[in-house]
């Protein structure tokens, strides 16, 4: 077994532990490479049977259209259940207030929609594709990360996970966030995608796109960005290292149109993939604060 085999085996073991320990788990699906990799791993863990959980997508309404098209195509292909929670519904119901101004984003609002979706369906475990190498707050997470009855994360309540023994016991109202690829790196994910020939949305590969430069980052030109006369639209060859709300996900200059090119690009990069997420730049503790409020 090479190192990818070991990572794969660990992730499959964790997915099966979730199925065995929880009554109503769900797999949070963003349409990004990490959650797509989780779906691939779930197929290895549970086929020829059905997944013991639905896929759940929190739709901000400002997603990349390529991501939504890929999501719908994947669901049709694998024949699994998809549950979608809409941030627009939370806005319409007055549960969240849309941000104003040039840098307004719906990304933070999706926490409320996520917690409502978990409560509505009674999920006691939510599987996600977060990895420890992404961001320092995520490096603090255990693989089974307990959230209280309000969906909040307390780093002081982390449980030991010695000898790959995972404790899924929770009190009523609590839930667990589970990270099967927590020990993977961005490069590991890409090498696995290459080995397994996993299909991805086209935005991960270099393409011509209209962009503007905002706060030193290349943002896809979209009506959600509240553009004004200061924003100059240019056409550049770009790709996206991470997928999120269009209002907070920046592109990178790139000519990488094949997996080998992307892998070489990542090896040479000195900036993490979350370096292209505007929402992480609000403060040094931005991610940790959102996680304490219930963000994934």
């Amino acid at each position: 077994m090479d190192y990818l085999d070991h990572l794969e085996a660990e992730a499959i073991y964790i997915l099966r532990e979730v199925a065995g320990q929880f009554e109503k788990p769900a797999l949070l699906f963003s349409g990004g490479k990490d959650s797509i990799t989780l779906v691939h791993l779930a197929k290895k863990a549970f086929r020829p049977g059905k997944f013991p959980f639905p896929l759940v997508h929190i739709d901000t309404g400002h997603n990349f259209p390529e991501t939504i098209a890929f999501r719908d195509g994947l669901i049709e292909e694998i024949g699994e259940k998809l549950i979608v929670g809409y941030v627009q519904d939370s806005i319409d119901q007055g549960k969240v207030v849309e941000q104003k101004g040039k840098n307004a984003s719906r990304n933070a609002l999706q926490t409320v929609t996520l917690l409502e979706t978990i409560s509505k369906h009674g999920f006691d475990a939510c599987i996600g594709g977060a990895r420890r190498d992404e961001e320092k707050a995520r490096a603090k997470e255990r693989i089974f990360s307990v959230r209280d009855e309000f969906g909040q994360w307390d780093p002081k309540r982390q449980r030991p996970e010695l000898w790959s023994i995972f404790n899924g016991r929770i009190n009523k109202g609590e839930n667990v966030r589970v990270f099967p690829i927590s020990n993977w790196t961005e490069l590991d994910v890409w090498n696995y995608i290459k080995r397994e020939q996993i299909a991805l949305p086209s935005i991960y590969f270099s393409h011509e796109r209209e962009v503007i430069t905002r706060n030193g980052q290349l943002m896809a030109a979209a009506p959600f960005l509240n553009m004004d006369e200061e924003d100059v639209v240019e056409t550049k060859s770009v790709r996206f290292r991470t997928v999120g709300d269009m209002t907070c996900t920046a592109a990178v200059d790139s000519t990488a149109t094949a997996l080998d090119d992307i892998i070489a690009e990542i090896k040479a990069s000195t900036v993490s993939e979350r370096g292209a997420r505007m929402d992480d730049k609000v403060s040094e503790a931005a991610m940790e604060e959102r996680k304490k409020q219930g963000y994934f």
Side-chain angles (χ1 to χ4, degrees):
M1 295 176 68
D2 67 11
Y3 82 102
L4 287 178
D5 292 324
H6 283 285
L7 290 173
E8 178 188 75
E10 177 188 53
I12 290 172
Y13 167 69
I14 293 166
L15 288 168
R16 289 173 176 167
E17 281 291 298
V18 172
Q21 292 196 42
F22 297 96
E23 294 183 4
K24 291 198 70 176
L27 191 156
L28 298 186
F29 185 80
S30 68
K33 69 182 186 310
D34 299 311
S35 58
I36 292 168
T37 297
L38 283 180
V39 170
H40 183 81
L41 290 163
K43 288 162 67 177
K44 290 200 170 192
F46 303 113
R47 289 290 190 251
K50 298 282 285 183
F51 291 178
F53 40 70
L55 276 65
V56 174
H57 181 218
I58 304 303
D59 188 345
T60 66
H62 293 171
N63 298 94
F64 288 89
E66 297 96 327
T67 304
I68 298 300
F70 185 93
R71 178 200 71 185
D72 294 344
L74 179 64
I75 292 300
E76 183 176 356
E77 175 191 335
I78 64 177
E80 298 292 344
K81 182 179 180 180
L82 173 69
I83 295 171
V84 182
Y86 295 96
V87 172
Q88 186 63 54
D89 290 344
S90 299
I91 295 171
D92 293 343
Q93 294 162 10
K95 295 175 180 176
V96 293
V97 178
E98 189 139 29
Q99 296 179 359
K100 305 296 182 182
K102 192 164 184 175
N103 293 313
S105 173
R106 287 186 174 182
N107 192 59
L109 306 186
Q110 64 184 314
T111 296
V112 172
T113 311
L114 170 62
L115 294 177
E116 286 183 342
T117 303
I118 291 172
S119 177
K120 176 181 177 180
H121 295 277
F123 296 131
D124 53 2
C126 294
I127 304 162
R131 308 185 321 271
R132 290 193 178 110
D133 76 318
E134 288 182 88
E135 203 274 341
K136 56 188 177 183
R138 284 182 167 167
K140 297 180 181 180
E141 293 265 25
R142 297 290 193 266
I143 290 174
F144 275 28
S145 181
V146 178
R147 305 299 174 97
D148 66 19
E149 62 271 26
F150 302 106
Q152 297 174 331
W153 174 67
D154 182 354
K156 295 179 181 179
R157 295 184 63 211
Q158 296 287 288
R159 296 171 175 176
E161 293 179 338
L162 305 176
W163 305 292
S164 298
I165 297 175
F166 303 110
N167 179 2
R169 296 183 65 182
I170 54 175
N171 297 317
K172 184 176 181 180
E174 295 179 336
N175 67 83
V176 173
R177 309 291 171 88
V178 181
F179 307 107
I181 61 171
S182 185
N183 292 327
W184 298 39
T185 66
E186 181 187 13
L187 191 58
D188 293 335
V189 173
W190 280 107
N191 281 326
Y192 187 73
I193 287 168
K194 178 185 175 183
R195 189 184 82 172
E196 300 292 308
Q197 299 182 321
I198 301 172
L200 295 175
S202 59
I203 62 173
Y204 277 109
F205 301 89
S206 179
H207 58 284
E208 294 287 319
R209 195 178 202 104
E210 289 189 341
V211 296
I212 63 170
T213 301
R214 179 171 292 181
N215 302 321
Q217 301 268 36
L218 294 174
M219 307 295 294
F224 318 128
L225 291 185
N226 298 330
M227 293 187 291
D228 57 30
E229 63 277 1
E230 294 180 357
D231 294 312
V232 179
V233 178
E234 304 175 272
T235 300
K236 287 182 172 286
S237 176
V238 300
R239 72 177 192 86
F240 294 85
R241 288 176 68 182
T242 181
V243 170
D245 190 296
M246 290 183 75
T247 58
C248 67
T249 306
V252 294
D253 280 304
S254 176
T255 57
T257 57
L259 289 174
D260 285 335
D261 299 330
I262 291 173
I263 290 169
E265 199 173 82
I266 293 168
K267 286 180 178 179
S269 177
T270 58
V271 179
S272 76
E273 64 190 296
R274 295 291 302 193
R277 292 294 293 269
M278 300 293 288
D279 50 327
D280 289 349
K281 299 180 183 298
V282 176
S283 72
E284 287 191 8
M287 171 65 80
E288 184 159 338
E289 290 304 314
R290 292 201 306 278
K291 289 171 73 65
K292 288 178 179 178
Q293 295 167 10
Y295 186 78
F296 199 73

